[in-house]
C-alpha cells in the first residue's frame, strides 16, 4: 500500500532527529517554481498566499534566499500542522520510520511529491494557489499527471488516501481501474449523515498514519482495526473503496 497525505502550512527546520537523506523526485521543477516565486514582489505574494503581512514578509525573504540543497529537514518532520502533531513522527521507533519511508507520500504544491525522508526547506505554496507559470495557469496544470505517475511507479498498489480534497485532486483524476484508491473518511453522525469537521479529521489522519506504521499495515483490512481518537470503523456506511470511521 501507498499512503498519501497533505502537507501543512507551518514548517520548521529539524535535522537533529534524522538527516534528510532522500532527494525529492521533482527537484528541478521545484527550482523552476522557486524562481517564479522569487520574481514576485511582496504585494503579489500576499495576494497569492492570501496571507497577512508577517507571513508574506517571511516567505518573501525565504524565496529570495532559498537554496534547495542546504539546511534540509526530512519532510515528515518539517511540517508542523495538526495532522503531523497527532502523527508524532519524532517519537517513531526504528520500525515505524522504516514503514513510513517505504509507504508514506506527501503531496506538495511546491515539491510535487515527497517521500517521508526527502530533505526539504521551509516554503509556503498551497496546491490551490493561483500561481501562473510559463506554461500553466495554476499548479494543477503545472503538475498535471506527473505526481500520480511518480506515485504509482512500476508497481500497482492500493493508494490509501488520507489527503484533503485540495491535494488528492492532484492524484485521483488520473487513477485507472488498475490503481484503486481507498479514501478514509473521519466524522460523526448528525441527522443521519456523516459530518466531517476539518480539525478533527486532520487529527484522525495523523493518528491513522501512526497506527498503520505501528501495526505494519499491509492491506486494507488492517485499517478496519483503527480505533484511536474515539473512532470506530462503520461497516454499514463504508464500501470497498471508501472507509468511514465514526466518532
Amino acid at each position: 500500500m501507498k499512503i498519501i497525505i497533505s502537507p501543512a502550512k507551518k514548517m520548521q527546520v529539524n535535522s537533529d532527529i534524522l538527516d534528510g537523506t532522500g532527494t525529492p523526485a521533482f527537484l528541478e521543477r521545484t527550482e523552476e517554481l522557486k524562481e517564479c516565486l522569487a520574481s514576485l514582489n511582496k504585494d503579489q505574494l500576499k495576494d497569492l498566499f492570501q496571507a497577512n503581512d508577517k507571513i508574506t514578509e517571511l516567505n518573501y525573504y525565504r524565496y529570495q534566499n532559498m537554496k534547495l540543497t542546504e539546511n534540509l529537514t526530512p519532510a515528515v518532520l518539517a511540517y508542523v500542522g495538526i495532522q503531523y502533531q497527532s502523527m508524532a513522527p519524532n517519537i517513531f521507533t526504528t520500525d515505524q520510520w522504516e514503514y513510513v519511508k517505504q509507504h508514506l507520500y506527501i503531496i506538495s504544491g511546491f515539491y510535487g511529491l515527497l517521500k517521508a525522508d526527502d530533505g526539504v526547506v521551509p516554503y509556503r505554496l498551497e496546491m490551490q494557489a493561483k500561481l501562473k507559470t510559463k506554461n500553466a495557469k495554476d499548479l494543477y496544470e503545472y503538475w498535471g499527471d506527473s505526481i500520480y505517475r511518480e506515485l504509482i511507479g512500476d508497481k500497482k498498489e492500493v493508494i490509501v488516501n488520507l489527503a484533503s480534497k485540495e491535494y488528492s485532486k492532484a492524484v485521483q483524476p488520473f487513477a485507472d481501474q488498475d490503481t484503486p484508491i481507498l479514501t478514509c473518511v473521519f466524522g460523526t453522525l448528525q441527522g443521519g449523515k456523516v459530518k466531517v469537521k476539518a480539525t478533527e479529521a486532520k487529527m484522525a489522519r495523523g493518528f491513522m498514519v501512526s497506527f498503520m506504521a505501528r501495526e505494519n499495515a499491509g492491506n486494507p483490512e488492517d485499517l478496519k482495526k483503527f480505533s484511536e481518537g474515539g473512532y470506530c470503523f462503520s461497516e454499514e456506511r463504508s464500501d470497498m473503496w471508501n472507509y468511514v470511521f465514526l466518532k
Side-chain angles (χ1 to χ4, degrees), residues 26 140-151 170 174:
F26 298 113
Y140 291 109
E141 185 174 338
Y142 180 80
W143 291 111
D145 68 351
S146 58
I147 293 174
Y148 170 73
R149 297 298 170 193
E150 179 67 24
L151 176 64
F174 308 104

Side-chain angles (χ1 to χ4, degrees), residues 34-217:
K34 186 201 79 171
E35 294 302 321
C36 179
L37 289 158
S39 70
L40 302 180
N41 61 40
K42 292 180 184 178
D43 288 337
Q44 290 171 317
L45 282 179
K46 184 175 183 178
D47 183 60
L48 179 70
F49 297 149
Q50 295 292 293
N52 60 34
D53 290 341
K54 183 177 180 181
I55 290 174
T56 300
E57 183 76 28
L58 170 63
N59 287 281
Y60 175 80
Y61 175 82
R62 280 175 173 170
Y63 284 121
Q64 293 301 314
N65 298 278
M66 185 178 288
K67 296 181 179 179
L68 297 176
T69 57
E70 297 180 9
N71 299 316
L72 304 177
T73 299
V76 79
L77 295 175
Y79 298 105
V80 196
I82 295 170
Q83 176 181 219
Y84 292 85
Q85 292 171 12
S86 59
M87 189 193 308
N90 57 308
I91 59 172
F92 277 176
T93 65
T94 300
D95 287 343
Q96 287 173 299
W97 264 113
E98 287 305 312
Y99 183 90
V100 296
K101 284 165 66 175
Q102 292 180 31
H103 298 277
L104 186 65
Y105 294 82
I106 302 166
I107 300 173
S108 163
F110 188 54
Y111 282 100
L113 188 69
L114 294 165
K115 293 182 178 180
D117 64 336
D118 281 348
V120 301
V121 297
Y123 68 92
R124 187 182 182 95
L125 186 64
E126 296 177 75
M127 185 65 79
Q128 63 187 3
K130 293 179 172 60
L131 177 66
K132 292 182 180 180
T133 58
K134 184 167 58 176
N135 298 311
K137 67 178 183 297
D138 58 23
L139 291 170
Y140 291 109
E141 185 174 338
Y142 180 80
W143 291 111
D145 68 351
S146 58
I147 293 174
Y148 170 73
R149 297 298 170 193
E150 179 67 24
L151 176 64
I152 62 171
D154 298 326
K155 190 176 180 181
K156 299 287 187 178
E157 296 181 79
V158 174
I159 297 172
V160 178
N161 177 22
L162 296 176
S164 66
K165 290 182 180 179
E166 174 188 350
Y167 288 93
S168 61
K169 185 179 173 182
V171 170
Q172 285 186 308
F174 308 104
D176 56 37
Q177 59 184 3
D178 295 325
T179 311
I181 296 180
L182 170 59
T183 298
C184 293
V185 178
F186 303 93
T188 57
L189 274 183
Q190 293 185 14
K193 296 183 179 180
V194 177
K195 177 71 173 180
V196 177
K197 297 179 180 178
T199 300
E200 291 184 359
K202 288 178 182 178
M203 292 179 64
R205 290 167 185 154
F207 287 144
M208 177 62 88
V209 173
S210 61
F211 165 80
M212 293 177 72
R214 188 171 62 252
E215 298 296 320
N216 193 31

